[in-house]
Amino acid sequence: MNKIIPLDYSQKANWCKLPQVTKEVDTFYVYATEYILGSLAEGAPNYADMNNQEMLEGAEAEYLLHASAYADATNVFMPFYRQVGLRYAGEVWKRDGIFDAALEDTPYADIVAALDYYFEHYNNGRPFIIAGHSQGSAIVKMVLKKYFVEHPDYYRRMVAAYPIGYAFTKAEFEAYPHMKFATGECDTGVIITWNTEGPKNREVNANTCVLQPGSMSINPLNWKLDNTYAPASMNLGSLWPNEKTGELEIVDLGADAQVFPDRGVVVTHAKGEEMTEEKAAVASFFFGPDGRHGEDYVLFYSNIKDNAAKRVAAYLASQK
C-alpha cells in the first residue's frame, strides 16, 4: 500500500477557518460529508481532492450552519481535508455495516496532520473543544480512540468533544475507558453526541449509516440520557434560512426532543429540510424514511451554542 502523504497544514489554503485568537478556549471542527452528488457520477473518485468545489463550498456552508455555534465561546479552527465521497462511504457501509474503514487512510491522515500542526503552531496550550458532524464525527471518534491516547497531554486539555451525528456505542466506552459519555449539562472532558430522527424511523426500525447496536444519545434540550421528554419550549432557537431572503436566522421550528435509549436516538417532531427528489432518495437510503441527520445541529443550534459556553465556563472555573 502506498504511504498516504497528508496535506501540508503550514499552507493557509488548507484551512477553511483560521481565526483571530481572542478567547481562552479553541474549537477544532471537522466537517461532514460534503462530496455528495459529485461522488455519485460515473467514474468519480472515491475521495475528494482539494480542488473539489462541491466539498469546498459545502465546508464553508457548514461553518455557518454548524461550527459557528462554537464561535461565541471559542476560537474556531477548521481544516480542509480530503474526505471520502458519499458513494464509496455507502459501499463500505453496506459491506461492513459501518463506514469507518473508508476513513482510515486519507481522511484520518489529513486530520492527524492538521491536529499536529494546530497543537504545535496555533493552540499555545489553550484548552479546546473538538467537534464535528457525520463523517467529521466519525473521524473525531478515531481521534479520541487513537490520537489522544498517543497525546495524553493534549487530551487533558479537552473541554469536551461534540462529535454529533455518528454512532458512539456502550461497547466502545467499555473498550476505551478513557472516553466518557456526558451525563449532564456541564460536565467536562466528556463526549456529547446524538442522532436525530423523526418518529417513523423508530417505528420501522430503520437501518441507517450513523447508528450501531448500543448507540447512545444525549438530549440536546434537557441534557438527559433517559427518555424524559423535552418540549419545544425548551428549545432556545433553531437556525434556518429565511424563506424570502435565504438569510440564516434564529427561529422557532417547534423542535422538541426525546431520547429513546433502546435505539440510541433523539426523536423530534420538527420538520426536516425540503429536498429535491434526487437528494431525498439519497437521504432516505442512508438515513431512513424519516431521518433528520442534516438537522442534527440546526434544529438545536442555540442550545448547542449555550451548552458550549457553559462547558467552557465550567472547565475554566475548574482550573482556578
Side-chain angles (χ1 to χ4, degrees), residues 98 100 141 145 167-177 179:
I98 194 168
D100 286 5
K141 181 162 76 168
K145 286 180 175 180
F168 277 74
T169 68
K170 294 170 186 174
E172 286 174 316
F173 286 101
E174 291 171 1
Y176 297 89
M179 299 196 317

Side-chain angles (χ1 to χ4, degrees), residues 52-194:
N52 186 289
Q53 287 303 305
E54 183 183 22
M55 181 189 75
L56 296 175
E57 291 171 11
E60 292 284 355
E62 190 170 335
Y63 175 81
L64 297 175
L65 290 164
H66 295 178
S68 64
Y70 306 102
D72 274 8
T74 69
N75 315 294
V76 180
F77 293 80
M78 184 172 164
F80 287 120
Y81 71 100
R82 295 166 298 174
Q83 64 177 188
V84 66
L86 194 67
R87 174 192 54 78
Y88 184 55
E91 291 173 6
V92 173
W93 167 48
K94 288 302 184 183
R95 183 192 74 198
D96 297 348
I98 194 168
F99 64 79
D100 286 5
L103 308 175
E104 290 172 348
D105 293 329
T106 302
Y108 183 68
D110 278 356
I111 292 302
V112 164
L115 282 165
D116 282 345
Y117 196 86
Y118 160 74
F119 280 118
E120 290 167 13
H121 297 277
Y122 292 138
N123 174 256
N124 292 320
R126 289 185 297 277
F128 64 93
I129 287 170
I130 186 166
H133 185 238
S134 196
Q135 177 175 165
S137 293
I139 296 171
V140 170
K141 181 162 76 168
M142 292 181 179
V143 168
L144 289 162
K145 286 180 175 180
K146 298 194 283 187
Y147 184 83
F148 285 139
V149 172
E150 297 161 2
H151 298 281
D153 50 329
Y154 299 159
Y155 191 57
R156 283 192 288 271
R157 300 205 306 272
M158 189 184 82
V159 172
Y162 288 83
I164 296 167
Y166 199 66
F168 277 74
T169 68
K170 294 170 186 174
E172 286 174 316
F173 286 101
E174 291 171 1
Y176 297 89
H178 68 284
M179 299 196 317
K180 308 291 183 188
F181 201 77
T183 59
E185 186 177 26
C186 293
D187 44 347
T188 60
V190 296
I191 294 165
I192 302 107
T193 189
W194 57 85

Side-chain angles (χ1 to χ4, degrees), residues 178-221:
H178 68 284
M179 299 196 317
K180 308 291 183 188
F181 201 77
T183 59
E185 186 177 26
C186 293
D187 44 347
T188 60
V190 296
I191 294 165
I192 302 107
T193 189
W194 57 85
N195 284 287
T196 317
E197 300 185 329
K200 187 176 179 182
N201 260 25
R202 181 170 175 271
E203 290 166 13
V204 303
N205 195 27
N207 184 29
T208 86
C209 70
V210 293
L211 284 181
Q212 292 287 303
S215 287
M216 299 176 68
S217 283
I218 193 168
N219 190 313
L221 299 185

